[in-house]
Amino acid sequence: MAIEQTEDAAPTTASLSAVGVFKVFGPKPDKALQMAAAGEPRDEILRATGNTVAVRDVSFEVTPGETFVVMGLSGSGKSTLVRCIARLTDVTRGRVTINDRDLTAMDDQELREVRRKQMSMVFQHFGLFPHRRVIDNVAYGLEIQGVPREERHKKALEVLDVVGLDGWGDHYPQQLSGGMQQRVGLGRALAVEPEVLFFDEPFSALDPLIRREMQDELLRLQADMHRTIMFITHDFDEAIKLGDRIAIMKDGEFDQIGTALELLANPATDYVREFTEDVSRIKVLTAWHVMRPHAGEAIGPRVGVNQSIDEILVVLLGAEDAVGVEDLSGELVGVVDREAVIGVLDTES
């Protein structure tokens, strides 16, 4: 079920960009910026100025409907970056835009309007109101917008159905499991029909099985709604599963931006190579990465677009023809043949 759009609703997708974004914490940002521009390492800047350069000259563009994943280890600056892009933290230098509107130049009132109507954020810690029912947690953003109670509850019920929580609206957060609470957080973000969604390690506190379920749920929702997403994670497998493109971040900078295939096949730096060298391509690459258009030829059984190559290999071995690839709605979106899988296996040897 898709969330119903009103005639005057905002568009469901937006472009998102950052140009030369720096974030410096400390008393002497100008000196720290000067040293950062000269290429001085983070530790030396901290020793000389007492400032921490958390984000250093980051630029990127996310196209409408794209899922852009930023990954890195703890301390890499990825969470600070997403807070800067969402304007929860002011940038020290640089420019952030949504649909070519400069967020960094907005006053508080303009920024509040953008936050209320164009973007939402989902955090690792759910941030639900324990004294409010699930339906009121989901409807909170609409309440802030001044939407009447009956209307916002109707919308919240629609969203609860979308995120798999139909019938749970009258419960309280503490009565739900961790995965269900995160679904409430996701529902709250979706209720305002944002153009851009920010996720800051939203699934990292969940058990592995529930985490995979939530990843699949996000993929299903994205296939239906095509929102523009910036997703933060420290898990490379999660990045590959969810991201249309992935940025690897280290010491506040991007080492490389690319598709999963580009990062795995052509790591640009030793740091990126360290991330990818122990990753089995057949376990993390999916049908989406190797499928080709259907040319009208006969196809055997079908596999899901997000199934891994090792799962597809089992199906191919028992099929006479190429295997069809279907999206989460069951529509045929491509074909995987033996040649494509053999190409992946050759890179493993």
Side-chain angles (χ1 to χ4, degrees), residues 32-49:
L33 286 170
Q34 182 181 2
M35 294 180 68
E40 295 289 342
R42 178 188 282 185
D43 290 347
E44 179 59 27
I45 295 172
L46 177 62
R47 186 196 65 77
T49 69

Side-chain angles (χ1 to χ4, degrees), residues 134-135 156-172 175-176 180:
V134 166
I135 191 171
L157 288 172
E158 292 177 4
V159 174
L160 284 171
D161 185 26
V162 168
V163 299
L165 289 177
D166 185 30
W168 289 91
D170 288 330
H171 289 72
Y172 288 88
Q175 297 174 300
L176 276 59
M180 294 172 74

Side-chain angles (χ1 to χ4, degrees), residues 21-259:
V21 171
F22 286 81
K23 180 59 185 178
V24 178
F25 294 103
K28 299 178 181 178
D30 290 342
K31 177 63 175 177
L33 286 170
Q34 182 181 2
M35 294 180 68
E40 295 289 342
R42 178 188 282 185
D43 290 347
E44 179 59 27
I45 295 172
L46 177 62
R47 186 196 65 77
T49 69
N51 290 257
T52 298
V53 181
V55 177
R56 184 199 295 246
D57 198 19
V58 168
S59 298
F60 62 88
E61 183 170 355
V62 187
T63 58
E66 181 183 18
T67 299
F68 182 70
V69 175
V70 179
M71 69 153 301
L73 302 178
S74 296
S76 62
K78 58 189 186 298
S79 290
T80 299
L81 174 64
V82 74
R83 294 181 69 85
C84 287
I85 302 304
R87 278 301 311 276
L88 298 177
T89 298
D90 288 333
V91 303
T92 307
R93 178 187 293 175
R95 186 167 179 260
V96 177
T97 65
I98 291 181
N99 284 341
D100 297 324
R101 295 184 64 198
D102 189 352
L103 296 182
T104 54
M106 290 182 180
D107 60 29
D108 290 343
Q109 181 176 349
E110 291 175 312
L111 194 56
R112 279 194 297 270
E113 285 301 303
V114 170
R115 286 173 177 163
R116 288 175 180 175
K117 298 180 179 179
Q118 288 186 271
M119 57 185 178
S120 292
M121 192 160 187
V122 182
F123 296 94
Q124 174 182 348
H125 303 290
F126 316 127
L128 304 179
F129 299 113
H131 61 288
R132 288 190 165 207
R133 296 175 303 161
V134 166
I135 191 171
D136 294 309
N137 271 278
V138 171
Y140 179 71
L142 299 171
E143 181 181 347
I144 293 298
Q145 291 182 8
V147 176
R149 184 176 187 274
E150 183 178 351
E151 184 179 343
R152 67 177 183 258
H153 275 195
K154 179 182 177 181
K155 175 64 71 174
L157 288 172
E158 292 177 4
V159 174
L160 284 171
D161 185 26
V162 168
V163 299
L165 289 177
D166 185 30
W168 289 91
D170 288 330
H171 289 72
Y172 288 88
Q174 61 268 28
Q175 297 174 300
L176 276 59
S177 67
M180 294 172 74
Q181 289 183 42
Q182 192 58 287
R183 288 175 185 266
V184 176
L186 180 57
R188 180 174 59 189
L190 293 174
V192 297
E193 298 180 358
E195 298 176 41
V196 180
L197 279 161
F198 298 100
F199 291 85
D200 188 6
E201 301 200 60
F203 309 143
S204 61
L206 303 176
D207 292 336
L209 179 60
I210 299 174
R211 183 173 188 171
R212 287 194 295 272
E213 290 177 354
M214 289 302 302
Q215 292 167 354
D216 291 339
E217 182 72 8
L218 180 57
L219 287 169
R220 182 186 68 80
L221 290 170
Q222 179 65 341
D224 184 35
M225 294 183 293
H226 308 289
R227 296 301 197 259
T228 302
I229 293 175
M230 183 175 179
F231 192 101
I232 306 300
T233 183
H234 64 270
D235 186 316
F236 194 53
D237 288 352
E238 182 169 70
I240 290 176
K241 182 174 183 177
L242 297 180
D244 295 311
R245 287 185 302 140
I246 303 165
I248 306 293
M249 196 169 190
K250 177 188 178 185
D251 293 336
E253 300 178 89
F254 283 175
D255 262 30
Q256 186 174 356
I257 300 175
T259 65

Side-chain angles (χ1 to χ4, degrees), residues 292 297-301 315-324 335-339:
R292 57 173 173 79
E297 74 272 39
I299 58 172
V315 179
L316 270 172
L317 290 174
E320 295 182 3
D321 303 299
V323 172
V335 172
V336 173
D337 54 29
R338 289 181 175 84
E339 287 74 17

